Amino acid sequence: MRGGKKNLRRRDLVFYLPVAVAGGFFLWFGVRVYNLGLRERPRPGEPVWREGPRVAVVRRGELGLWEARPFEYPLAQGPLRAFLLRLPAPAPGGLSLGEEHYIALSRICTHQFCTLNYVPDPEAGSLLYNFRHKRPFLGCPCHFGAFDPLLGGKAVYGPPRHPLPRLRLEVEGETLLATGHEVPLRPLEGGRAPCGRSEA
Ligand code: FES
């Protein structure tokens, strides 16, 4: 009788264990697919800036449409790699000077700190990143995340959820300057700006 119960438990285990493993896998897979493709990612809102050094980046008119200039912005913890891009239309958190539209974005991926590349050719981007976009984007070589400069650095593909932090742009004479950065500076800072160190 006891042997029969034992056999029954073993038989149950042989049946339920693979079912539980398969169920767990499909649950994980479903959540992953939802997070990667279906769950809406946050749109960049009105930036909150933290004042910083004034760094000259380019002269007005130096960049053509959809051209990007890499630069480094000095921070206490080391230089922040960034891109300044000239866009065909205003972007949230960017700078517009008449018909000239610019945005400066951190190059540090908000997923896991990899350095982003600029992908000016969407066709090449669709091969390299397996992501077809209607315009140039910033792509991450680590897990193929993508960010759209025209949407203020919004994450549009892959694992990243948060948009790229923007750098504040100002014009002085004919020169465009970076004069601060958005807070929180993801992924270096995850939460809100420290009290008293930010301004609207
Ligand atoms: S580190 Fe950029 S997508 Fe993962």
Side-chain angles (χ1 to χ4, degrees), residues 45-170:
E46 198 56 39
V48 175
W49 300 118
R50 181 179 295 157
E51 197 79 39
R54 299 172 72 79
V55 175
V57 185
V58 290
R59 291 182 65 75
R60 278 188 74 176
E62 210 177 309
L63 296 180
L65 272 190
W66 283 118
E67 271 190 59
R69 172 68 51 87
F71 69 101
E72 292 192 340
Y73 189 73
L75 296 176
Q77 55 268 54
L80 174 73
R81 277 166 289 185
F83 274 125
L84 185 148
L85 296 107
R86 182 164 172 192
L87 304 174
L95 175 72
S96 289
L97 303 164
E99 290 305 303
E100 292 175 42
H101 310 288
Y102 299 93
I103 192 165
L105 296 166
S106 160
R107 284 181 70 185
I108 308 303
C109 183
T110 55
H111 180 224
Q112 284 180 7
F113 295 87
C114 287
T115 302
L116 302 173
N117 297 319
Y118 179 46
V119 185
D121 178 358
E123 272 312 305
S126 68
L127 294 175
L128 290 170
Y129 290 83
N130 194 27
F131 168 57
R132 188 168 288 281
H133 202 40
K134 44 186 176 272
R135 52 181 171 255
F137 61 90
L138 300 188
C140 181
C142 291
H143 313 106
F144 306 111
F147 300 85
D148 189 332
L150 204 53
L151 298 180
K154 183 178 188 273
V156 288
Y157 182 71
R161 291 202 43 74
H162 293 290
L164 294 171
R166 294 157 284 187
L167 284 87
R168 184 170 64 184
L169 290 174
E170 290 180 44

